[in-house]
Amino acid sequence: MKTVSRIYMVLIFIFLYAPLLTMVLFSFNEANSLSVFTGFSLQWYRDLFGNEEVLEVLSNTLILAALSSVIATVIGTAAAVGIEKMRSRWLKSAVTTVSNMPMMNPDIVTGISMALLFVFAMKLFGMDSIFGFPTVLIAHVTFNLPYVILSVTPKIRQMDRYLPEAALDLGCTPLQSFFKVELPAIMPGVLSGLLMAFTLSLDDFVISYFNTEGDFQTLPIYIFGMTKRTVTPDIYSLSTLLFVSVLLLLILSNVMQGYAERKEQRKIAAQAGVRRKRKGAK
Amino acid sequence: MNKKRSFLRTAAAYPHMLWSLLFIVVPLLFVLYYALTVENPDGSFSFSFSNITALGSESYFPVFIRSICFAVVATLICLLLAYPLAYALSQCKVSSQRMLIMLVMLPMWMNLLIRTYSWMNILETNGVINNFFASIGLPRMQLLGNAGAVILGMVYNFLPYMVLPIYTVMSKIDRRYIEAAADLGCNGWQTMLRVILPLSASGVISGITMVFVPSVSTFYISQKMGNGRFEMIGDTIERQFMSNYDYHMGATLSLVLMVLIIVCLAVMNRFGDEDGGVLV
């Protein structure tokens, strides 16, 4: 039975990874073919970095991801803190439901609804065009927010409720207490929310597709355009780069989480040790 | 003093609330608004149900049915594949479980386009599989452009979404239940049917939701894997919006899609007792 389940797992993993590995393999293909592998070559990567259009799209995507994740993290962390302190149950659940909507709705609905807002604004203010960096930035922040809040909220709940009060007793103003005591305590959640937002922003296709036009393209939109024309392996090199960067981000996020966890464990162990010593001394 | 502090704290959420109102609630209201209006020649809008009645027509109704059918089939296949996998994973050593689950989740973080496109490349007439067939003397097969390819694309893209919730719930099942079942005389299969299956039901429902919703609303997968032969709701919305600039029709289709999903979720919720699902 165990071998059967082992074999099954292996098969599923092959199924999951075959296309990705083919893609990585063929990005190094010598010939201009996506199905016959002739030799190992870095030419497609070299072509990529020489292509000005690609570099512009790449920088667009990175700037968008960085900006939208930072904005979402700031607004989202503040929101998580605020929501936890809400007294009114009704308001709390209403805000939570609304902010979770981009997560629950299919991407296409989120994308279209925001595009409609922008189209209407365009009509209202008599503009020729509105789609571009600002609209896609707004869209990215909007779908990043729920994930940031989701990351930060557990950390807020885990934090010792009396720590900020202790800080106030020791003379901090409420603002100081937040930045000196609470923020460091919830920082792991904030950072993982930031990373997640960045990754989601890099990867997003559908929502960006409906909210930007012509000039400002992100990497996934550019790849989409490439798939509509004849395809050469440089699309694979581009995709591999995207894949590797997302992979690195995920590993980074996991390593940080592991590090934070171990720090917590060491702190708890140290406290337990101190208590035992004190008991022993008595 | 306490009240003031509390008020300042909740005020921290105000920027977010404003943002959500403006960019989540209002856009959804606009979907409703555009769906219920048509554009007059002079550019103004007038209230009309014609968009909605157009949905019953030949050009749209089959599309809905097709999308739902494909989504149901894809969801079922995902469930059949994911359930044993989740079970196998939950039985592994705890230390390796974490890594294995990360491996399962990793393709999820890969871009949708890339995942779909790489399958296209494998299945093409000149693709990897067919080249292999040709080299050993078998005829080349038409592996793309049919319903199977579209379903394959969907299953491939959404399988991790099904595995994750089921695995999470399964890994929390107290081992002692399984031991107790064995003590009371169940063999492997009976334990599965009577103990594990009911206890993992909430994960199954989460997984179904997380696969059905994107399956029914996808547009890229059906376009690429089906060679454009199978138009789905997502494709139609995209076409209306980006090619025809018919925002009203696009909005109407989106509205119906949303209603469809809400109905499905409500039905799901009646079958599950736990709240929502497990997220990444």
Side-chain angles (χ1 to χ4, degrees):
Chain A
M1 190 59 192
K2 245 206 165 155
T3 39
V4 171
S5 63
R6 286 287 153 86
I7 296 178
Y8 184 71
M9 279 204 296
V10 168
L11 283 176
I12 295 271
F13 277 115
I14 293 180
F15 175 62
L16 284 177
Y17 280 94
L20 293 177
L21 294 175
T22 346
M23 175 189 82
V24 173
L25 183 68
F26 278 97
S27 71
F28 292 111
N29 196 5
E30 197 175 10
N32 184 358
S33 154
L34 289 174
S35 29
V36 182
F37 193 78
T38 52
F40 192 87
S41 148
L42 285 175
Q43 64 167 334
W44 306 110
Y45 287 95
R46 262 179 273 138
D47 280 350
L48 265 186
F49 286 111
N51 186 339
E52 279 217 9
E53 204 184 355
V54 169
L55 289 177
E56 188 184 334
V57 168
L58 200 60
S59 81
N60 281 347
T61 313
L62 287 173
I63 295 176
L64 178 65
L67 208 54
S68 71
S69 52
V70 165
I71 296 178
T73 306
V74 169
I75 300 183
T77 310
V81 169
I83 292 176
E84 272 307 291
K85 283 289 180 153
M86 276 186 183
R87 296 264 172 113
S88 154
R89 250 215 180 142
W90 170 87
L91 190 62
K92 197 171 181 177
S93 89
V95 174
T96 315
T97 312
V98 167
S99 66
N100 281 341
M101 274 182 157
M103 253 191 326
M104 302 274 95
N105 271 331
D107 279 351
I108 195 172
V109 168
T110 320
I112 293 261
S113 59
M114 274 195 275
L116 280 178
L117 172 69
F118 295 135
V119 161
F120 184 76
M122 203 161 77
K123 225 171 142 14
L124 196 64
F125 297 121
M127 303 192 214
D128 287 332
S129 77
I130 190 177
F131 290 109
F133 183 67
T135 51
V136 77
L137 180 66
I138 292 177
H140 277 228
V141 172
T142 312
F143 73 70
N144 278 333
L145 278 172
Y147 293 96
V148 171
I149 298 181
L150 200 67
S151 277
V152 177
T153 308
K155 283 292 169 197
I156 296 183
R157 293 196 180 150
Q158 273 180 5
M159 183 185 71
D160 188 343
R161 258 178 304 142
Y162 297 111
L163 276 173
E165 276 198 37
L168 290 166
D169 287 340
L170 290 167
C172 284
T173 65
L175 210 64
Q176 279 178 324
S177 141
F178 176 72
F179 281 106
K180 289 193 164 201
V181 175
E182 285 188 64
L183 198 57
I186 60 176
M187 194 51 91
V190 173
L191 286 178
S192 79
L194 182 71
L195 265 183
M196 179 169 268
F198 189 79
T199 316
L200 282 172
S201 190
L202 276 186
D203 253 357
D204 174 71
F205 165 62
V206 180
I207 298 185
S208 315
Y209 181 62
F210 287 107
N211 283 294
T212 185
E213 218 139 79
D215 289 338
F216 189 85
Q217 287 195 344
T218 63
L219 203 54
I221 297 181
Y222 184 73
I223 296 180
F224 178 65
M226 279 173 94
T227 63
K228 285 191 157 180
R229 300 168 288 188
T230 50
V231 190
T232 49
D234 57 358
I235 194 184
Y236 273 7
S237 333
L238 205 51
S239 311
T240 307
L241 282 177
L242 190 56
F243 175 49
V244 168
S245 21
V246 169
L247 183 63
L248 288 176
L249 282 173
L250 282 177
I251 293 181
L252 181 67
S253 136
N254 251 303
V255 162
M256 276 183 6
Q257 271 185 355
Y259 179 69
E261 267 170 36
R262 265 173 289 145
K263 236 174 118 185
E264 277 299 306
Q265 303 245 347
R266 255 181 274 144
K267 229 195 286 174
I268 295 174
Q271 286 174 347
V274 169
R275 249 178 258 135
R276 249 182 272 128
K277 264 197 185 157
R278 258 192 241 140
K279 271 194 167 168
K282 277 192 183 162
Chain B
M1 183 55 189
N2 241 327
K3 260 200 170 167
K4 180 188 174 191
R5 220 188 305 147
S6 204
F7 172 73
L8 280 178
R9 276 304 159 76
T10 54
Y14 286 179
H16 166 70
M17 283 163 67
L18 186 65
W19 187 286
S20 302
L21 193 68
L22 197 54
F23 295 115
I24 299 179
V25 177
V26 169
L28 289 176
L29 290 176
F30 270 115
V31 172
L32 194 64
Y33 175 62
Y34 268 83
L36 292 175
T37 56
V38 280
E39 183 148 359
N40 295 325
D42 65 354
S44 65
F45 290 172
S46 52
F47 186 76
S48 154
F49 277 119
S50 63
N51 293 329
I52 303 189
T53 46
L55 287 181
S57 74
E58 252 187 39
S59 32
Y60 293 119
F61 195 65
V63 172
F64 277 103
I65 301 293
R66 192 184 300 136
S67 301
I68 298 179
C69 288
F70 271 81
V72 166
V73 172
T75 311
L76 277 174
I77 297 183
C78 273
L79 183 59
L80 287 173
L81 287 178
Y83 199 85
L85 182 69
Y87 183 67
L89 281 175
S90 64
Q91 303 295 18
C92 287
K93 271 193 304 182
V94 181
S95 49
S96 30
Q97 272 184 34
R98 233 183 128 193
M99 199 197 67
L100 287 172
I101 265 295
M102 236 189 73
L103 280 181
V104 169
M105 286 196 340
L106 198 62
M108 217 162 69
W109 289 101
M110 228 14 260
N111 200 286
L112 172 76
L113 297 174
I114 300 173
R115 279 183 292 174
T116 314
Y117 199 76
S118 34
W119 263 114
M120 267 188 73
N121 185 246
I122 297 183
L123 295 177
E124 258 186 335
T125 333
N126 288 321
V128 175
I129 293 189
N130 273 319
N131 280 343
F132 175 67
F133 282 170
S135 65
I136 61 174
L138 289 174
R140 291 178 183 269
M141 294 206 302
Q142 172 79 338
L143 292 168
L144 273 185
N146 50 38
V150 177
I151 304 240
L152 175 71
M154 287 187 188
V155 169
Y156 178 71
N157 271 301
F158 304 130
L159 188 63
Y161 292 109
M162 179 68 86
V163 175
L164 201 59
I166 301 183
Y167 162 76
T168 310
V169 171
M170 272 195 185
S171 61
K172 297 209 173 107
I173 295 181
D174 200 330
R175 293 267 162 118
R176 290 175 289 182
Y177 285 138
I178 305 179
E179 279 179 27
D183 288 340
L184 290 167
C186 283
N187 60 26
W189 280 114
Q190 287 172 323
T191 320
M192 172 64 83
L193 275 173
R194 288 173 156 220
V195 177
I196 300 181
L197 208 56
L199 284 176
S200 60
S202 65
V204 168
I205 294 188
S206 270
I208 292 181
T209 316
M210 287 180 69
V211 171
F212 184 73
V213 169
S215 301
V216 86
S217 57
T218 182
F219 74 89
Y220 186 71
I221 301 178
S222 38
Q223 261 183 26
K224 287 291 172 213
M225 300 295 272
N227 268 342
R229 282 176 53 203
F230 302 95
E231 190 166 297
M232 305 234 195
I233 302 182
D235 297 307
T236 320
I237 295 180
E238 193 247 339
R239 188 165 45 87
Q240 292 293 10
F241 225 80
M242 301 303 258
S243 317
N244 294 355
Y245 294 111
D246 185 352
Y247 299 127
H248 297 271
M249 214 49 223
T252 317
L253 289 162
S254 308
L255 184 67
V256 178
L257 185 61
M258 269 199 293
V259 169
L260 179 69
I261 291 177
I262 293 178
V263 166
C264 290
L265 286 180
V267 168
M268 289 280 153
N269 267 322
R270 286 204 62 210
F271 282 116
D273 357 83
E274 332 258 68
D275 57 341
V278 188
L279 292 163
V280 178

